[in-house]
Coordinates of all heavy atoms in Angstrom, one line a residue:
M1 N 31.2 42.9 160.0 CA 29.9 43.5 160.4 C 28.9 43.2 159.3 O 27.7 42.9 159.5 CB 30.0 45.1 160.4 CG 28.7 45.8 160.4 SD 28.9 47.5 160.7 CE 27.1 48.1 160.5
S2 N 29.3 43.0 158.1 CA 28.5 42.5 157.0 C 29.2 41.5 156.0 O 30.4 41.5 156.0 CB 27.8 43.6 156.3 OG 28.7 44.2 155.4
E3 N 28.4 41.0 155.1 CA 29.0 40.1 154.2 C 29.2 40.9 152.8 O 29.5 40.3 151.8 CB 27.9 39.0 153.8 CG 27.3 38.3 155.1 CD 28.3 37.2 155.5 OE1 28.8 36.4 154.7 OE2 28.5 37.1 156.8
C4 N 28.9 42.1 152.8 CA 28.9 42.9 151.6 C 30.3 43.1 151.0 O 31.1 43.5 151.6 CB 28.3 44.3 151.8 SG 28.5 45.4 150.4
P5 N 30.5 42.4 149.8 CA 31.9 42.6 149.1 C 32.1 44.0 148.4 O 33.3 44.2 148.0 CB 31.7 41.6 148.1 CG 30.4 41.5 147.6 CD 29.4 41.8 148.9
H6 N 31.2 44.9 148.5 CA 31.4 46.1 147.8 C 32.1 47.1 148.6 O 32.7 48.0 148.2 CB 29.9 46.7 147.4 CG 29.2 45.8 146.5 ND1 28.3 45.0 147.0 CD2 29.3 45.4 145.2 CE1 27.7 44.1 146.1 NE2 28.4 44.5 144.8
V7 N 31.8 47.0 150.0 CA 32.5 48.0 151.0 C 34.1 48.0 150.8 O 34.7 49.2 150.7 CB 32.0 47.9 152.4 CG1 32.8 48.6 153.4 CG2 30.5 48.4 152.5
P8 N 34.7 46.8 150.9 CA 36.1 46.8 150.8 C 36.7 47.3 149.4 O 37.8 47.6 149.4 CB 36.5 45.3 150.8 CG 35.4 44.6 151.7 CD 34.1 45.5 151.1
A9 N 35.8 47.3 148.4 CA 36.2 47.8 147.1 C 36.0 49.4 146.9 O 36.3 49.9 145.9 CB 35.4 47.0 145.9
L10 N 35.5 50.1 147.9 CA 35.2 51.4 147.8 C 36.5 52.2 147.7 O 37.5 51.8 148.4 CB 34.4 52.0 148.9 CG 32.9 51.3 149.0 CD1 32.2 51.9 150.2 CD2 32.1 52.0 147.8
P11 N 36.5 53.3 147.0 CA 37.8 54.1 147.0 C 38.0 54.7 148.4 O 37.2 55.0 149.1 CB 37.4 55.2 146.0 CG 36.0 55.3 145.8 CD 35.4 53.9 146.2
R12 N 39.4 54.8 148.7 CA 39.8 55.5 149.9 C 40.7 56.5 149.6 O 41.7 56.4 148.6 CB 40.5 54.5 150.9 CG 39.6 53.4 151.2 CD 38.9 53.7 152.6 NE 37.7 52.9 152.8 CZ 37.4 51.6 152.6 NH1 38.1 50.9 151.9 NH2 36.3 51.0 153.0
P13 N 40.7 57.8 150.1 CA 39.6 58.2 150.9 C 38.3 58.3 150.4 O 38.1 58.3 149.0 CB 40.0 59.6 151.5 CG 40.8 60.1 150.4 CD 41.6 58.9 149.8
E14 N 37.2 58.4 151.0 CA 35.9 58.5 150.6 C 35.8 59.7 149.6 O 36.3 60.8 150.0 CB 35.0 58.7 151.8 CG 33.4 58.5 151.5 CD 32.7 58.6 152.9 OE1 32.9 57.7 153.7 OE2 32.0 59.6 153.1
P15 N 35.2 59.6 148.5 CA 35.0 60.8 147.6 C 34.3 61.8 148.2 O 33.2 61.7 149.0 CB 34.3 60.2 146.4 CG 33.6 59.1 146.9 CD 34.5 58.5 148.0
E16 N 34.6 63.1 147.9 CA 34.0 64.4 148.3 C 32.8 64.6 147.7 O 32.6 64.1 146.5 CB 34.9 65.6 148.0 CG 36.2 65.8 149.0 CD 35.8 65.8 150.4 OE1 34.9 66.7 150.8 OE2 36.5 65.2 151.2
P17 N 31.6 64.9 148.3 CA 30.4 65.2 147.7 C 30.6 66.1 146.5 O 31.2 67.1 146.6 CB 29.5 65.7 148.7 CG 30.3 66.3 149.9 CD 31.5 65.4 149.7
Q18 N 29.8 65.7 145.4 CA 30.0 66.6 144.1 C 29.2 67.8 144.1 O 29.5 68.8 143.5 CB 29.6 65.7 142.7 CG 30.4 64.6 142.5 CD 29.9 63.8 141.4 OE1 28.9 64.0 140.8 NE2 30.6 62.6 141.1
T19 N 28.1 67.7 145.0 CA 27.2 69.0 145.1 C 26.7 68.9 146.6 O 26.9 67.9 147.3 CB 26.0 68.7 144.1 OG1 25.4 67.4 144.4 CG2 26.4 68.9 142.7
V20 N 26.0 70.0 146.9 CA 25.5 70.1 148.4 C 24.0 69.7 148.3 O 23.5 69.5 149.4 CB 25.5 71.6 148.7 CG1 27.0 71.9 148.9 CG2 24.7 72.4 147.9
T21 N 23.4 69.4 147.2 CA 22.0 69.0 147.1 C 21.8 68.0 145.9 O 22.8 67.8 145.2 CB 20.9 70.0 147.1 OG1 19.6 69.4 147.3 CG2 21.1 70.9 145.9
C22 N 20.7 67.5 145.7 CA 20.5 66.7 144.5 C 20.4 67.5 143.2 O 19.3 68.2 143.1 CB 19.2 65.8 144.7 SG 18.8 64.8 143.2
P23 N 21.4 67.3 142.4 CA 21.3 68.3 141.1 C 20.2 68.0 140.2 O 19.7 68.9 139.4 CB 22.7 67.9 140.4 CG 23.1 66.7 141.1 CD 22.5 66.5 142.4
E24 N 19.7 66.8 140.2 CA 18.6 66.4 139.3 C 17.3 67.0 139.8 O 16.4 67.4 139.1 CB 18.4 64.9 139.1 CG 19.5 64.2 138.4 CD 20.5 63.5 139.1 OE1 20.8 63.8 140.2 OE2 21.1 62.4 138.7
C25 N 17.2 67.1 141.1 CA 15.9 67.7 141.8 C 16.0 69.2 141.5 O 14.9 69.8 141.0 CB 15.8 67.5 143.2 SG 15.2 65.9 143.7
L26 N 17.2 69.8 141.7 CA 17.4 71.2 141.3 C 17.0 71.4 139.9 O 16.2 72.5 139.7 CB 18.8 71.5 141.5 CG 19.2 73.0 142.0 CD1 18.5 73.3 143.3 CD2 20.7 73.1 142.1
A27 N 17.3 70.6 139.0 CA 17.1 70.8 137.5 C 15.5 70.8 137.2 O 15.1 71.6 136.3 CB 17.8 69.8 136.7
V28 N 14.9 70.1 137.9 CA 13.4 69.9 137.6 C 12.5 70.6 138.7 O 11.3 70.5 138.6 CB 12.8 68.4 137.5 CG1 13.6 67.7 136.3 CG2 13.2 67.7 138.9
G29 N 13.2 71.4 139.7 CA 12.3 72.1 140.7 C 11.7 71.3 141.6 O 10.8 71.7 142.2
S30 N 12.1 70.1 141.9 CA 11.6 69.2 143.0 C 12.6 69.4 144.3 O 13.5 70.1 144.2 CB 11.8 67.7 142.5 OG 11.1 66.9 143.4
H31 N 11.9 68.9 145.3 CA 12.6 69.0 146.5 C 12.9 67.7 147.2 O 12.0 66.9 147.4 CB 11.8 69.8 147.6 CG 11.4 71.2 147.1 ND1 12.5 72.2 147.3 CD2 10.6 71.8 146.3 CE1 12.1 73.3 146.7 NE2 10.8 73.1 146.2
P32 N 14.3 67.4 147.5 CA 14.7 66.2 148.1 C 14.0 66.1 149.6 O 14.1 67.0 150.3 CB 16.2 66.2 148.1 CG 16.5 67.3 147.2 CD 15.5 68.3 147.1
V33 N 13.6 64.9 149.9 CA 13.3 64.8 151.3 C 14.5 64.5 152.2 O 14.7 65.2 153.1 CB 12.2 63.4 151.5 CG1 12.0 63.3 153.0 CG2 11.0 63.7 150.7
Q34 N 15.4 63.6 151.8 CA 16.7 63.4 152.4 C 17.5 63.2 151.3 O 17.3 62.8 150.1 CB 16.7 62.3 153.4 CG 15.9 62.6 154.7 CD 16.3 61.7 155.7 OE1 16.6 60.5 155.7 NE2 16.3 62.2 157.0
L35 N 19.0 63.4 151.6 CA 19.9 63.2 150.6 C 20.9 62.0 151.0 O 21.2 61.6 152.1 CB 20.9 64.5 150.5 CG 20.1 65.7 150.1 CD1 21.1 67.0 150.3 CD2 19.7 65.5 148.6
R36 N 21.5 61.5 149.9 CA 22.3 60.3 150.0 C 23.6 60.6 149.1 O 23.5 61.1 148.0 CB 21.6 59.0 149.5 CG 20.2 58.7 150.0 CD 20.4 58.3 151.4 NE 19.1 58.0 152.1 CZ 18.6 58.6 153.2 NH1 19.3 59.6 153.6 NH2 17.4 58.3 153.8
K37 N 24.7 60.2 149.6 CA 25.9 60.3 148.8 C 26.5 59.0 148.4 O 26.8 58.1 149.1 CB 27.0 61.1 149.6 CG 28.2 61.4 148.8 CD 29.3 62.1 149.7 CE 30.1 61.0 150.4 NZ 31.2 61.7 151.1
C38 N 26.8 58.9 147.0 CA 27.5 57.7 146.5 C 28.9 57.6 146.9 O 29.6 58.6 146.9 CB 27.3 57.9 144.9 SG 28.3 56.5 144.0
L39 N 29.2 56.5 147.4 CA 30.6 56.3 148.0 C 31.6 55.9 146.9 O 32.8 55.6 147.3 CB 30.6 55.3 149.2 CG 29.8 55.8 150.3 CD1 29.9 54.8 151.5 CD2 30.5 57.1 150.9
V40 N 31.1 55.7 145.7 CA 32.2 55.4 144.6 C 32.5 56.7 143.9 O 33.7 56.8 143.7 CB 31.4 54.4 143.6 CG1 32.4 54.2 142.4 CG2 31.0 53.1 144.2
C41 N 31.7 57.6 143.7 CA 32.0 58.8 142.9 C 31.6 60.1 143.6 O 32.0 61.1 143.2 CB 31.4 58.7 141.5 SG 29.5 58.9 141.5
G42 N 30.9 60.1 144.7 CA 30.5 61.4 145.4 C 29.2 62.0 144.8 O 28.8 63.0 145.4
H43 N 28.5 61.3 143.9 CA 27.3 61.8 143.4 C 26.3 62.0 144.6 O 26.1 61.1 145.5 CB 26.6 60.8 142.4 CG 25.3 61.1 142.1 ND1 24.2 60.6 142.7 CD2 24.7 62.0 141.0 CE1 23.1 61.2 142.2 NE2 23.5 62.0 141.1
V44 N 25.6 63.2 144.7 CA 24.6 63.4 145.7 C 23.1 63.2 145.2 O 22.9 63.8 144.1 CB 24.8 64.7 146.4 CG1 23.6 65.0 147.4 CG2 26.1 64.8 147.1
G45 N 22.3 62.4 145.6 CA 21.0 62.2 145.1 C 19.9 62.1 146.3 O 20.4 62.1 147.4
C46 N 18.7 62.2 145.9 CA 17.7 62.2 146.9 C 17.3 60.7 147.3 O 17.5 59.8 146.4 CB 16.5 63.0 146.4 SG 16.0 62.5 144.8
C47 N 16.6 60.6 148.4 CA 16.3 59.2 148.9 C 15.0 58.6 148.4 O 14.5 59.3 147.6 CB 16.2 59.4 150.6 SG 14.7 60.2 150.9
D48 N 14.6 57.4 148.9 CA 13.6 56.8 148.4 C 12.2 57.3 148.8 O 11.2 56.9 148.3 CB 13.7 55.3 148.5 CG 14.6 54.6 147.6 OD1 15.1 55.2 146.6 OD2 14.9 53.4 147.8
S49 N 12.2 58.2 149.7 CA 11.1 58.8 150.2 C 10.9 60.2 149.4 O 9.8 60.9 149.5 CB 11.2 59.3 151.7 OG 11.4 58.2 152.4
S50 N 11.7 60.6 148.6 CA 11.7 61.7 147.7 C 10.9 61.5 146.4 O 11.0 60.2 146.0 CB 13.1 62.3 147.4 OG 13.7 62.6 148.6
P51 N 10.3 62.3 145.8 CA 9.5 62.0 144.6 C 10.2 61.4 143.5 O 9.6 60.6 142.8 CB 9.1 63.5 144.1 CG 9.1 64.4 145.3 CD 10.1 63.9 146.2
H52 N 11.5 61.7 143.3 CA 12.1 61.1 142.1 C 13.3 60.0 142.4 O 13.8 59.4 141.5 CB 12.9 62.3 141.3 CG 11.8 63.2 140.8 ND1 11.0 63.0 139.9 CD2 11.5 64.5 141.3 CE1 10.3 64.1 139.6 NE2 10.6 65.1 140.4
Q53 N 13.6 59.9 143.7 CA 14.4 58.9 144.1 C 15.7 58.7 143.2 O 16.2 57.8 142.7 CB 13.7 57.5 144.0 CG 12.4 57.5 144.8 CD 11.5 56.3 144.7 OE1 11.9 55.3 144.0 NE2 10.5 56.2 145.5
H54 N 16.4 59.8 143.2 CA 17.6 59.9 142.3 C 18.8 59.2 142.7 O 19.6 58.7 141.9 CB 18.0 61.5 142.1 CG 17.0 62.3 141.2 ND1 16.4 63.4 141.6 CD2 16.6 62.0 140.1 CE1 15.6 63.8 140.6 NE2 15.6 63.0 139.6
S55 N 18.9 58.8 144.0 CA 20.1 58.0 144.5 C 19.9 56.6 143.8 O 20.9 56.0 143.4 CB 20.2 57.9 145.9 OG 20.7 59.1 146.5
T56 N 18.6 56.1 143.9 CA 18.4 54.7 143.4 C 18.6 54.7 141.8 O 19.1 53.8 141.3 CB 17.0 54.4 143.8 OG1 16.9 54.2 145.2 CG2 16.7 53.0 143.2
R57 N 18.1 55.8 141.2 CA 18.4 56.0 139.8 C 19.8 56.0 139.5 O 20.3 55.4 138.4 CB 17.7 57.3 139.3 CG 16.3 57.4 139.4 CD 15.5 56.8 138.3 NE 14.1 56.7 138.6 CZ 13.5 55.8 139.5 NH1 14.1 54.9 140.0 NH2 12.2 56.0 139.7
H58 N 20.6 56.7 140.3 CA 22.0 56.7 140.1 C 22.6 55.3 140.2 O 23.5 54.9 139.3 CB 22.8 57.6 141.1 CG 24.2 57.7 141.0 ND1 24.9 58.3 140.0 CD2 25.2 57.2 141.9 CE1 26.2 58.2 140.1 NE2 26.4 57.6 141.2
F59 N 22.3 54.5 141.2 CA 22.6 53.1 141.2 C 22.3 52.4 139.9 O 23.1 51.7 139.4 CB 22.1 52.6 142.5 CG 22.1 51.0 142.3 CD1 23.4 50.3 142.3 CD2 21.0 50.2 142.3 CE1 23.3 48.9 142.2 CE2 20.9 49.0 142.2 CZ 22.3 48.1 142.1
E60 N 21.0 52.6 139.6 CA 20.5 51.8 138.4 C 21.3 52.2 137.2 O 21.5 51.3 136.2 CB 19.1 52.0 138.2 CG 18.2 51.3 139.2 CD 16.8 51.7 139.3 OE1 16.4 52.7 138.6 OE2 16.0 51.1 140.0
G61 N 21.7 53.4 137.1 CA 22.3 53.9 135.8 C 23.8 53.5 135.9 O 24.5 53.5 134.7
T62 N 24.4 53.5 137.1 CA 25.9 53.4 137.1 C 26.4 52.1 137.6 O 27.6 51.6 137.5 CB 26.5 54.5 138.0 OG1 26.0 54.3 139.3 CG2 26.2 55.8 137.4
G63 N 25.6 51.3 138.5 CA 26.0 50.2 139.2 C 26.8 50.6 140.5 O 27.3 49.7 141.1
H64 N 26.9 51.8 140.8 CA 27.6 52.2 142.1 C 26.8 51.7 143.3 O 25.7 52.2 143.6 CB 27.8 53.7 142.1 CG 28.7 54.1 141.0 ND1 28.8 55.6 140.8 CD2 29.6 53.5 140.2 CE1 29.7 55.6 139.8 NE2 30.2 54.4 139.5
A65 N 27.3 50.7 144.0 CA 26.4 49.8 144.9 C 26.2 50.5 146.2 O 25.2 50.4 146.9 CB 27.0 48.6 145.0
V66 N 27.1 51.2 146.8 CA 27.1 51.7 148.1 C 26.9 53.2 148.3 O 27.6 54.0 147.5 CB 28.4 51.2 148.9 CG1 28.2 51.5 150.4 CG2 28.5 49.8 148.7
M67 N 26.0 53.6 149.0 CA 25.8 55.1 149.3 C 25.9 55.3 150.9 O 25.7 54.2 151.6 CB 24.6 55.6 148.7 CG 23.2 54.9 149.2 SD 22.6 55.4 150.7 CE 20.9 54.9 150.6
R68 N 26.0 56.5 151.2 CA 26.0 56.9 152.7 C 24.9 58.0 152.7 O 24.8 58.8 151.9 CB 27.3 57.5 153.1 CG 27.5 58.0 154.6 CD 28.7 58.8 154.8 NE 30.0 57.9 154.9 CZ 30.2 56.9 155.7 NH1 29.2 56.7 156.7 NH2 31.4 56.3 155.7
S69 N 24.3 57.9 154.0 CA 23.4 59.1 154.2 C 24.2 60.4 154.2 O 25.3 60.4 154.7 CB 22.7 58.9 155.6 OG 22.0 60.1 156.0
F70 N 23.7 61.4 153.6 CA 24.3 62.7 153.5 C 23.5 63.6 154.3 O 23.6 65.0 154.2 CB 24.3 63.2 152.1 CG 25.1 64.4 151.8 CD1 26.5 64.4 152.2 CD2 24.7 65.5 151.0 CE1 27.3 65.4 151.8 CE2 25.5 66.5 150.7 CZ 26.8 66.5 151.2
E71 N 22.9 63.1 155.5 CA 22.2 64.0 156.4 C 23.0 64.2 157.5 O 23.7 63.3 158.1 CB 20.8 63.2 156.9 CG 19.9 63.2 155.6 CD 19.4 64.5 155.2 OE1 19.0 65.4 155.9 OE2 19.3 64.6 154.0
E72 N 22.9 65.4 158.2 CA 23.6 65.9 159.4 C 23.4 64.6 160.5 O 22.3 64.4 160.8 CB 23.1 67.1 160.0 CG 24.1 67.8 160.9 CD 24.8 68.8 160.4 OE1 24.7 69.3 159.2 OE2 25.9 69.0 161.1
G73 N 24.5 64.3 161.1 CA 24.4 63.3 162.3 C 24.1 61.8 161.8 O 24.0 61.0 162.7
E74 N 23.9 61.5 160.6 CA 23.7 60.2 160.1 C 24.9 59.6 159.4 O 25.5 60.1 158.6 CB 22.5 60.1 159.1 CG 21.1 60.5 159.8 CD 20.1 60.1 158.8 OE1 20.1 59.6 157.8 OE2 18.9 60.5 159.3
E75 N 25.3 58.4 159.8 CA 26.6 57.8 159.4 C 26.4 56.5 158.6 O 27.3 56.1 158.1 CB 27.5 57.5 160.5 CG 28.3 58.8 161.1 CD 29.2 59.3 160.2 OE1 30.0 58.6 159.7 OE2 29.1 60.6 159.9
W76 N 25.0 56.1 158.6 CA 25.0 54.8 158.0 C 25.2 54.6 156.5 O 25.0 55.6 155.8 CB 23.5 54.2 158.3 CG 22.4 55.0 157.9 CD1 21.8 56.1 158.8 CD2 21.8 55.1 156.7 NE1 20.9 56.7 158.0 CE2 20.7 56.2 156.8 CE3 21.8 54.2 155.5 CZ2 19.9 56.4 155.7 CZ3 21.0 54.7 154.5 CH2 19.9 55.6 154.5
R77 N 25.5 53.4 156.0 CA 25.7 53.2 154.7 C 24.8 52.1 154.2 O 24.5 51.3 154.9 CB 27.1 52.7 154.3 CG 28.2 53.7 154.7 CD 29.6 53.2 154.5 NE 29.8 52.0 155.3 CZ 31.1 51.4 155.6 NH1 32.1 52.0 154.9 NH2 31.2 50.4 156.4
W78 N 24.4 52.1 152.8 CA 23.6 51.1 152.3 C 24.0 50.5 151.0 O 24.4 51.3 150.2 CB 22.2 51.8 152.1 CG 21.1 51.0 151.3 CD1 20.8 51.0 150.0 CD2 20.3 49.9 152.0 NE1 19.8 50.0 149.8 CE2 19.4 49.4 150.9 CE3 20.2 49.5 153.2 CZ2 18.5 48.3 151.2 CZ3 19.3 48.4 153.4 CH2 18.4 47.8 152.5
C79 N 24.0 49.2 150.9 CA 24.4 48.6 149.7 C 23.2 48.3 148.8 O 22.3 47.4 149.4 CB 25.2 47.4 150.0 SG 25.7 46.5 148.3
Y80 N 22.9 48.8 147.6 CA 21.8 48.5 147.0 C 21.8 47.1 146.4 O 20.7 46.5 146.2 CB 21.7 49.5 145.7 CG 21.4 50.9 145.9 CD1 22.4 51.9 146.0 CD2 20.1 51.1 146.3 CE1 22.0 53.2 146.3 CE2 19.8 52.5 146.6 CZ 20.7 53.5 146.4 OH 20.4 54.8 146.9
V81 N 23.0 46.5 146.1 CA 23.0 45.1 145.6 C 22.7 44.1 146.7 O 21.9 43.3 146.5 CB 24.4 44.9 145.0 CG1 24.5 43.4 144.5 CG2 24.8 45.8 143.9
D82 N 23.2 44.3 147.8 CA 23.0 43.3 148.9 C 21.7 43.7 149.7 O 21.3 42.8 150.5 CB 24.3 43.2 149.8 CG 25.4 42.7 149.0 OD1 25.4 41.5 148.6 OD2 26.4 43.4 148.9
Q83 N 21.2 44.9 149.7 CA 20.1 45.4 150.2 C 20.3 45.2 151.8 O 19.5 44.7 152.5 CB 18.8 44.4 150.0 CG 18.5 44.7 148.4 CD 17.6 45.9 148.2 OE1 16.6 46.2 148.6 NE2 18.2 46.8 147.4
L84 N 21.5 45.8 152.1 CA 21.9 45.7 153.6 C 22.5 47.0 154.0 O 23.0 47.8 153.2 CB 23.1 44.7 153.6 CG 23.0 43.2 153.8 CD1 24.4 42.6 153.7 CD2 22.2 43.0 155.0
I85 N 22.3 47.3 155.3 CA 23.0 48.4 156.0 C 24.5 47.9 156.1 O 24.6 46.8 156.7 CB 22.3 48.7 157.4 CG1 21.0 49.3 157.2 CG2 23.3 49.7 158.0 CD1 20.9 50.7 156.8
V86 N 25.4 48.6 155.6 CA 26.9 48.0 155.7 C 27.7 48.9 156.6 O 28.2 49.8 156.3 CB 27.4 47.8 154.3 CG1 26.7 46.7 153.6 CG2 27.2 49.0 153.4
Ligands
LIG101 ZN1 27.3 45.0 148.7
LIG102 ZN1 16.6 64.2 143.4
LIG103 ZN1 28.3 57.1 142.0

């Protein structure tokens, strides 16, 4: 489905979410627009439409390349490195 080399390297089974919302937003009293879950470690962060974009910050800080939407009914994954839906 894609050329992304990061998906085959993801841990199996998929990590459980560490939190139910973005902990960095909670800490500063901000509100996530939507949530994303890191598929390497289970970190939950807010999306790029949110004021602080903590999921992208998480990738920049850790190099964890692939996240999944953490929204009800959404299954898509995104690779930050390849800039692809994977
Ligand atoms: Zn990739
Ligand atoms: Zn956040
Ligand atoms: Zn992570």
Side-chain angles (χ1 to χ4, degrees):
M1 167 176 175
S2 80
E3 314 273 318
C4 171
H6 304 97
V7 167
L10 291 174
R12 301 270 159 31
E14 196 173 294
E16 290 297 316
Q18 294 177 3
T19 50
V20 296
T21 186
C22 176
E24 287 107 327
C25 277
L26 209 57
V28 298
S30 184
H31 296 281
V33 175
Q34 290 200 320
L35 295 170
R36 309 289 181 239
K37 184 182 81 171
C38 173
L39 292 181
V40 177
C41 71
H43 171 271
V44 175
C46 50
C47 70
D48 283 351
S49 303
S50 302
H52 299 287
Q53 308 176 354
H54 287 125
S55 284
T56 299
R57 297 279 170 279
H58 178 70
F59 159 66
E60 289 170 348
T62 62
H64 295 168
V66 187
M67 58 76 159
R68 176 190 290 296
S69 174
F70 194 50
E71 295 296 314
E72 190 97 24
E74 289 189 8
E75 284 291 313
W76 54 271
R77 297 179 296 193
W78 173 258
C79 178
Y80 286 107
V81 177
D82 296 297
Q83 297 281 296
L84 275 178
I85 297 281
V86 289

